[in-house]
């Protein structure tokens, strides 16, 4: 247990990070509906779930390329989750402008 404690906490942290974009992708349509965007724009935003749907296609490639130092799963999991965290930090700074603050039209494509 003591030997694996840091790895377990790292994976726990990364799995929590993994759920944040899915929760946001599910809640942003509700915010967009309040901003009175068109159904076409709502349908365009629904495309954010496509990468999760295509996971079966890119999973074998991701599993085949790995660093023996980090291990098979962590080789892609750690960099992607940290990149995701950086994107989420950036989004926290520009979220109001993307969602159409002050009566502007939301930027659905960039969202």
């Amino acid at each position: 247990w003591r030997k694996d404690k840091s790895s377990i906490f790292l994976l726990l942290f990364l799995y929590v990070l993994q759920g944040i974009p899915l929760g946001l992708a599910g809640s942003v349509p509700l915010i967009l509906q309040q901003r009175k965007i068109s159904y076409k724009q709502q349908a365009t935003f629904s495309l954010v779930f496509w990468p999760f749907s295509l996971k079966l296609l890119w999973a074998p490639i991701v599993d085949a390329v790995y660093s023996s130092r980090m291990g098979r799963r962590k080789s892609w999991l750690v960099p992607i989750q940290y990149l995701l965290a950086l994107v989420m930090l950036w989004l926290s700074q520009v979220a109001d402008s993307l969602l159409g603050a002050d009566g502007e039209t939301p930027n659905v494509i960039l969202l």
Side-chain angles (χ1 to χ4, degrees):
W1 157 253
R2 293 173 198 245
K3 181 179 167 185
D4 295 330
K5 190 187 298 187
S6 64
S7 294
I8 291 171
F9 284 122
L10 175 64
L11 286 177
L12 179 66
F13 174 69
L14 293 175
Y15 280 120
V16 169
L17 280 180
Q18 179 181 346
I20 292 173
L22 291 173
L24 286 175
S27 63
V28 168
L30 298 173
I31 296 170
L32 293 176
Q33 283 178 347
Q34 291 177 349
R35 308 284 171 130
K36 308 289 187 218
I37 66 165
S38 68
Y39 289 119
K40 181 180 178 181
Q41 288 175 313
Q42 290 179 33
T44 301
F45 184 78
S46 70
L47 297 175
V48 299
F49 289 108
W50 273 31
F52 300 106
S53 302
L54 300 174
K55 208 183 322 188
L56 290 173
L57 298 177
W58 55 265
I61 298 167
V62 169
D63 286 341
V65 179
Y66 66 93
S67 165
S68 59
R69 193 183 100 200
M70 288 185 72
R72 184 167 291 225
R73 302 290 181 245
K74 288 184 195 175
S75 292
W76 65 269
L77 182 69
V78 172
I80 294 299
Q81 292 296 330
Y82 282 126
L83 178 67
L84 188 59
L86 290 174
V87 169
M88 298 306 289
L89 286 172
W90 173 74
L91 276 175
S92 71
Q93 300 299 315
V94 298
D96 286 336
S97 63
L98 292 176
L99 290 171
D102 300 327
E104 298 174 8
T105 304
N107 188 343
V108 176
I109 300 297
L110 194 54
L111 277 173

